[in-house]
Amino acid sequence: MFKVLVSDPISDLGIKQLMDAADVQVEKKTGLGEDELAAIIWEYDALLVRSQTRVTEKIMAAGAKLKVVGRAGVGVDNIDLEAATKRGIIVINAPDGNTVTTCEHAFAMMMALARHIPQAYAKTIGGEWDRKSFLGVELRNKTLGVLGMGRIGSEVAKRAKAFGMSILAFDPFLTQERAEKMEVKLASVDDIVRNADFMTVHTPLTPETRHMIARPQFEVMKKGMRIVNCARGGIIDEAALVEAINEGIVAGAAFDVFESEPPQKDHPFLNHPKIIVTPHLGASTVEAQENVAIDVSEEVLHILRNEPFKNAVNIPPVAASVMNRLQPYFSIGEKLGSFAAQAANQAVHEIHVEYAGDLSDIDTLPLTRYIVQGVLAHHLGSEVNIVNCMHLAKLRDINVVVTKASKSKGFTNLLTVTLKSQNDVENLVAGTLLNGYGERIVQIDKFPVDVAPEGHQILISHNDKPGLIGRVGTLLGENDVNIASMQVGRKIIGGAAIMILTVDKAVQKDVLNQLTTLPELNRAIEITL
């Protein structure tokens, strides 16, 4: 008989399948402090929480039988993941339970924005019968730009089509084939900014997506755009948005999230007549609260019964002998995945990982997870981890292929990551650990190199012509960018070549654009590891 402790208020409907299971005994004890919970946790196999209970290292140390901690929700900030991982305790959450609820809130915000509903309501209950000030627009025959086609963005697109809208969809992992299946048009951010009538964002907040809609986008935006953000504050530059509304570029905005929550009382969104705001209500429905509890209860049951499970946010235990051989490669594996993702400029449909050398004779799945996490995290940020990465790749129709070879081109072990995109475009990066030197990238595409994967780097594709290296150095120097190291790779004299420069700080986009104007230089991108 398994014993499950529910330490936060969760409805009986949400945990019904646990309560009905013949091999599970559920007990509810809410409002416990750390010491109180630590004193009783030894007798339980599973702990189910929301956000109130803080599951600390002390509590896990006392949980001699504890196999799983389930969070009925998405965020796991209240759970010590490192302590759980060290003790082999699986932590799971419920990322899908809020999908429809958040989607519907975004759509409600879009409707309210189109028809000025909050503003009209405020005037009407204030005693004014004003029908002239609130001329709205229909959604029918309008173009909706969806930035981020994960679970929520895809659901928004589905509903928008039912309203007769055309969909322009952007997602770094959205291929043409998948877009056709979803009956949306694959587009760039620039396409959406210039052509959409409405825009809704559904991406995680990462360094790449922070202020992805800012002054440069507003300067070329289709006049009359209406913008909805029920994803994360910071994706849209708030100050630039207010300016764009005041200048007549943007017709209105509806935000459920802010860069800083709760916002200051003098935040310009709070008293702007063309901006609708709600206090981060995306997941706040009765159904969502029950759904996340149902989802996590099901996973807890699978884990207790030793059945396949998903939605874990930490790595399950691995045999010590395997872990000892793999662990030194976790960091370089994740960096190779991240490097390849940043170098790719098309939607990826396959991640091919090759292990050559001594690693070819053991189970490398834990290491593969780090590599896949590195690939996905560049665009998905903290949403992805070493356990759910394979599931997230599958959701996005990304195939993960692993091959092994005993020969490793002179290295003890060689890890090669190849991202395959549309039109047979491939981005390859290979790396290893060298005694006395640590992590090294030893190949980029077809070019041999020797680079430490760390810090800020500039990857340049160019033609091997005299004087180009000097011109690159001069341009960077004029823009106060200091070069710490440089590697050049080429196959033949005068042919295609690459440069990879390690620099002291992040490089501004306008500097990268300046580099691409140099003769014989084809592409310049920043890689941050």
Side-chain angles (χ1 to χ4, degrees):
M1 178 69 70
F2 300 113
K3 292 189 69 175
V4 177
L5 176 63
V6 179
S7 64
D8 285 334
I10 298 176
S11 70
D12 287 346
L13 179 60
I15 58 173
K16 186 176 186 298
Q17 57 189 318
L18 283 174
M19 298 175 73
D20 290 348
D23 55 347
V24 175
Q25 178 184 341
V26 178
E27 295 183 6
K28 287 187 174 184
K29 297 180 181 180
T30 60
L32 300 177
E34 181 183 37
D35 291 339
E36 294 171 303
L37 186 51
I40 63 171
I41 195 63
W42 62 270
E43 58 180 305
Y44 296 96
D45 300 279
L47 174 63
L48 197 56
V49 304
R50 280 203 188 275
S51 57
Q52 295 94 320
T53 299
R54 299 200 63 80
V55 189
T56 63
E57 183 172 12
K58 179 179 179 179
I59 291 169
M60 292 188 206
K65 296 170 59 180
L66 201 58
K67 299 179 181 66
V68 54
V69 176
R71 162 70 165 96
V74 179
V76 290
D77 294 345
N78 56 318
I79 301 172
D80 189 330
L81 295 181
E82 184 176 353
T85 302
K86 286 180 180 178
R87 297 183 177 279
I89 299 170
I90 300 170
V91 179
I92 58 172
N93 68 348
D96 297 328
N98 296 334
T99 298
V100 170
T101 288
T102 305
C103 158
E104 289 185 354
H105 191 69
F107 216 87
M109 295 286 267
M110 194 188 314
M111 294 289 290
L113 187 59
R115 301 303 298 270
H116 311 289
I117 292 172
Q119 297 93 329
Y121 168 79
K123 263 201 171 183
T124 304
I125 64 170
E128 293 186 62
W129 188 256
D130 182 1
R131 299 182 62 193
K132 296 181 179 179
S133 300
F134 303 113
L135 184 65
V137 296
E138 293 183 355
L139 299 188
R140 185 176 60 125
N141 294 330
K142 299 298 190 301
T143 297
L144 172 65
V146 183
L147 302 182
M149 287 292 288
R151 292 182 296 267
I152 298 169
S154 298
E155 290 293 326
V156 171
K158 187 188 302 181
R159 284 155 179 77
K161 285 188 294 179
F163 272 72
M165 302 184 83
S166 301
I167 313 298
L168 295 177
F170 165 79
D171 189 286
F173 297 112
L174 183 63
T175 62
Q176 182 64 46
E177 181 182 9
R178 184 163 169 250
E180 290 173 359
K181 286 181 181 178
M182 301 174 76
E183 298 180 352
V184 300
K185 183 177 179 181
L186 183 62
S188 66
V189 175
D190 189 63
D191 291 334
I192 290 172
V193 165
R194 292 177 182 272
N195 298 297
D197 302 295
F198 289 79
M199 179 169 62
T200 179
V201 296
H202 299 285
T203 71
L205 181 63
T206 68
E208 188 173 75
T209 63
R210 182 172 183 79
H211 288 184
M212 69 185 299
I213 304 299
R215 189 179 302 279
Q217 287 71 40
F218 289 121
E219 288 176 352
V220 297
M221 186 170 284
K222 181 178 181 180
K223 190 171 182 180
M225 174 78 80
R226 289 171 171 85
I227 299 175
V228 177
N229 184 6
C230 291
R232 288 289 182 268
I235 296 171
I236 297 172
D237 185 333
E238 294 176 350
L241 172 61
V242 172
E243 290 182 6
I245 293 175
N246 292 340
E247 292 169 8
I249 298 169
V250 175
F255 272 53
D256 186 46
V257 291
F258 295 80
E259 292 195 33
S260 178
E261 295 183 359
Q264 296 294 317
K265 292 181 178 180
D266 61 350
H267 193 290
F269 280 17
L270 302 185
N271 56 14
H272 200 292
K274 294 184 178 181
I275 300 179
I276 300 167
V277 293
T278 51
H280 209 142
L281 299 179
S284 297
T285 63
V286 172
E287 292 86 352
Q289 297 304 308
E290 289 180 349
N291 287 340
V292 294
I294 291 169
D295 288 352
V296 80
S297 294
E298 182 178 1
E299 294 305 303
V300 165
L301 202 55
H302 286 320
I303 292 168
L304 292 178
R305 293 172 174 172
N306 200 29
E307 297 171 348
F309 61 91
K310 60 181 182 179
N311 297 335
V313 295
N314 66 334
I315 191 168
V318 178
S321 58
V322 174
M323 182 64 76
N324 289 339
R325 293 180 64 180
L326 293 178
Q327 195 162 25
Y329 293 89
F330 286 165
S331 176
I332 180 68
E334 185 173 359
K335 290 176 181 177
L336 291 176
S338 178
F339 190 106
Q342 293 177 69
N345 59 0
Q346 294 190 48
V348 174
H349 64 77
E350 182 174 295
I351 303 171
H352 185 273
V353 182
E354 181 180 25
Y355 297 106
D358 292 346
L359 290 179
S360 63
D361 63 352
I362 63 173
D363 181 6
T364 52
L365 178 58
L367 178 52
T368 301
R369 290 180 179 277
Y370 275 90
I371 293 170
V372 175
Q373 176 186 248
V375 174
L376 300 185
H378 176 58
H379 297 293
L380 301 183
S382 59
E383 178 184 343
V384 61
N385 56 65
I386 52 179
V387 174
N388 69 8
C389 59
M390 307 300 274
H391 177 63
L392 291 177
K394 184 178 180 180
L395 285 177
R396 286 160 174 78
D397 293 333
I398 299 174
N399 194 28
V400 179
V401 178
V402 176
T403 58
K404 296 183 178 182
S406 56
K407 295 182 180 180
S408 57
K409 301 179 182 179
F411 300 103
T412 303
N413 286 294
L414 184 66
L415 282 62
T416 303
V417 179
T418 305
L419 302 188
K420 298 184 179 182
S421 306
Q422 300 177 78
N423 303 319
D424 298 321
V425 175
E426 295 187 357
N427 293 89
L428 180 150
V429 58
T432 189
L433 298 181
L434 295 179
N435 288 334
Y437 295 95
E439 300 173 349
R440 311 299 290 185
I441 293 175
V442 296
Q443 184 179 345
I444 299 173
D445 294 329
K446 62 184 177 180
F447 305 106
V449 294
D450 181 13
V451 180
E454 58 188 20
H456 300 284
Q457 299 176 332
I458 305 174
L459 177 60
I460 295 174
S461 302
H462 62 99
N463 299 320
D464 182 34
K465 299 296 181 182
L468 181 57
I469 292 176
R471 289 193 291 272
V472 168
T474 298
L475 191 153
L476 292 177
E478 290 173 347
N479 286 277
D480 195 32
V481 178
N482 189 50
I483 300 173
S485 67
M486 172 185 288
Q487 272 278 309
V488 178
R490 66 179 186 180
K491 281 288 188 178
I492 58 172
I493 297 174
I498 63 168
M499 258 186 269
I500 184 160
L501 315 175
T502 301
V503 295
D504 291 346
K505 61 181 182 181
V507 183
Q508 299 296 323
K509 288 185 178 180
D510 67 314
V511 177
L512 296 174
N513 292 335
Q514 290 178 50
L515 284 171
T516 59
T517 65
L518 294 176
E520 307 295 343
L521 197 150
N522 304 317
R523 186 184 182 213
I525 61 171
E526 183 181 25
I527 305 287
T528 303
L529 299 173

